[in-house]
Amino acid sequence: MSEKITLNTSVELGVVPTHIKFVGGLVPDEEGRLPRGEDGQLIVVNEMKHLTEISPVKIGSAQITVFPGVDENDTDDMITGLRGLGLAVHLMLMVGGADPMNPDDEEKVVEMLKAGLEVAKKYNIEQVASTSIEEWMQEGATPKTGEDFERAVAQNAKVHTRAVNESGAIDAGIKHWHIEFLRGGEFQTFTDVAKCWEVVKAANNELGSKFFRVMVDAAHCGDSELSIPENQSKISEIADSDEFSMFHASAKTTRGCLSTDDGWIGALLSAAAKSGKLEFVFVELFHHEDPALEALRNLDSGHGIDTTDGRTYSEAVADGLGETARRLNNLVTRGHLS
């Protein structure tokens, strides 16, 4: 498909290619090797190449997961391959098997975060992100409140600023680290944009700069306990504090076709644009049969619904790119975005 939509804004439009599945697409095997197709090429690079060919708008970037222990040659193939497609590369730092809120796990968390930052340093990547403020899907975990919440915020600030300082990330040219919260059930404590901001504020205060930022994911906002107006208000506040610039266009609950988000993407993207601080927008869909996300389907059966409506997942993502580009262009037309 030839490109039919010209993006009329400096906002960078990209893809988080989670629709290729974590298992069989993004997660390394026991030897640290990333999944490859029958042609020997990395699946994630092949998919991004395919998307650049079928997308109705030029894709500016890819935000890719980076796991500790991945084979260095595979990492190099992935990043150089994506850049060879003319894409800017952003990293999503992955951690697991340790609790960032628990002081007993501090060393493990810091080392995993530093490993991701070292990849960013090596390849001169300026923007990193993570969901590293709480361990994912911990059975039996309960929300931390009061003094326990304050201790969790402080511990998160400590491990993240340690990772930054010990890796020399800022001096190496990494510009910002975007922190993403998750929906209730996936996380128990940091489950809305306001709670996430508490960590970002604390980490920036400890660091002495506005290095950390809150990532606004429309899906997680939609599945949080805050309403659309409450989320819009918080986005404005966080942007005024210079602690926001990245947005995920992703549908709440289903995490599938953007037509299933019930208005959240449009409302929150508009608030992000009006804030004057929006720089990056990523379209993100998940595959409804990804084995890695079985726990999420068990949490909410809505996550297991096939929303492709006769399309491939690639085609659904391409449609999402077109829809998001139209939204951005019309925000420009209405004077809300430059």
Side-chain angles (χ1 to χ4, degrees):
M1 181 187 296
S2 59
E3 294 168 4
K4 299 178 179 178
I5 304 172
T6 299
L7 196 61
N8 300 324
T9 173
S10 60
V11 170
E12 183 179 288
L13 178 59
V15 173
V16 185
T18 43
H19 62 284
I20 64 174
K21 300 181 183 179
F22 283 98
V23 174
L26 296 170
V27 175
D29 63 19
E30 293 179 354
E31 298 179 351
R33 306 308 299 267
L34 294 174
R36 294 179 182 266
E38 294 181 0
D39 60 358
Q41 301 301 307
L42 291 173
I43 288 175
V44 65
V45 175
N46 274 348
E47 173 60 11
M48 288 308 304
K49 181 177 185 294
H50 179 51
L51 284 176
T52 63
E53 293 168 345
I54 68 171
S55 174
V57 62
K58 180 177 175 60
I59 302 172
S61 56
Q63 187 176 58
I64 53 173
T65 51
V66 174
F67 293 87
V70 172
D71 181 87
E72 290 185 3
N73 291 326
D74 281 6
T75 298
D76 188 75
D77 283 353
M78 177 171 64
I79 294 174
T80 57
L82 292 169
R83 285 177 168 169
L85 299 173
L87 301 171
V89 175
H90 298 242
L91 297 186
M92 176 64 75
L93 313 182
M94 304 299 287
V95 299
D99 181 2
M101 300 183 290
N102 185 352
D104 292 340
D105 287 347
E106 181 174 323
E107 296 302 323
K108 292 180 183 178
V109 175
V110 170
E111 290 306 311
M112 283 187 282
L113 292 173
K114 284 165 61 178
L117 293 173
E118 289 299 328
V119 175
K121 286 169 56 181
K122 180 178 179 179
Y123 291 96
N124 298 311
I125 290 170
E126 296 182 344
Q127 307 290 334
V128 301
S130 68
T131 58
S132 53
I133 52 177
E134 190 168 339
E135 197 170 1
W136 188 66
M137 296 291 290
Q138 290 303 294
E139 186 176 351
T142 56
K144 295 184 184 300
T145 59
E147 293 183 358
D148 288 339
F149 178 82
E150 296 303 322
R151 281 192 288 269
V153 168
Q155 183 63 23
N156 263 307
K158 183 179 180 182
V159 297
H160 286 81
T161 54
R162 270 194 61 188
V164 171
N165 290 327
E166 292 177 18
S167 66
I170 296 175
D171 289 342
I174 299 174
K175 291 184 176 179
H176 292 292
W177 185 340
H178 307 264
I179 302 294
E180 181 179 8
F181 69 94
L182 301 182
R183 60 175 292 175
E186 292 187 72
F187 281 0
Q188 304 300 327
T189 296
F190 296 104
T191 54
D192 66 42
V193 69
K195 294 172 183 175
C196 182
W197 191 23
E198 292 303 312
V199 174
V200 167
K201 285 189 290 186
N204 282 338
N205 184 60
E206 193 165 321
L207 201 60
S209 72
K210 296 296 180 75
F211 179 73
F212 290 97
R213 290 182 169 177
V214 177
M215 182 198 294
V216 175
D217 183 302
H220 297 311
C221 289
D223 283 319
S224 76
E225 294 183 355
L226 301 183
S227 67
I228 284 178
E230 287 171 329
N231 275 284
Q232 290 175 314
S233 177
K234 278 297 173 187
I235 290 169
S236 179
E237 284 185 61
I238 297 167
D240 285 345
S241 183
D242 200 25
E243 291 170 309
F244 161 76
S245 59
M246 184 175 288
F247 183 90
H248 275 185
S250 194
K252 76 182 189 72
T253 308
T254 69
R255 307 309 301 275
C257 177
L258 301 195
S259 66
T260 67
D261 81 318
D262 299 331
W264 282 84
I265 292 172
L268 300 194
L269 184 59
S270 178
K274 291 175 182 178
S275 78
K277 299 295 180 66
L278 180 64
E279 297 180 39
F280 310 99
V281 176
F282 291 95
V283 171
E284 181 183 38
L285 276 67
F286 288 82
H287 197 293
H288 70 288
E289 293 179 329
D290 187 343
L293 302 178
E294 181 179 359
L296 191 50
R297 293 191 292 275
N298 292 337
L299 175 68
D300 190 328
S301 60
H303 192 80
I305 295 173
D306 182 357
T307 64
T308 55
D309 197 26
R311 298 163 295 174
T312 65
Y313 266 93
S314 300
E315 290 168 340
V317 171
D319 285 347
L321 284 162
E323 176 184 332
T324 304
R326 296 290 190 199
R327 288 188 183 278
L328 291 170
N329 281 350
N330 280 313
L331 284 164
V332 173
T333 300
R334 293 154 61 198
H336 300 319
L337 186 66
S338 59

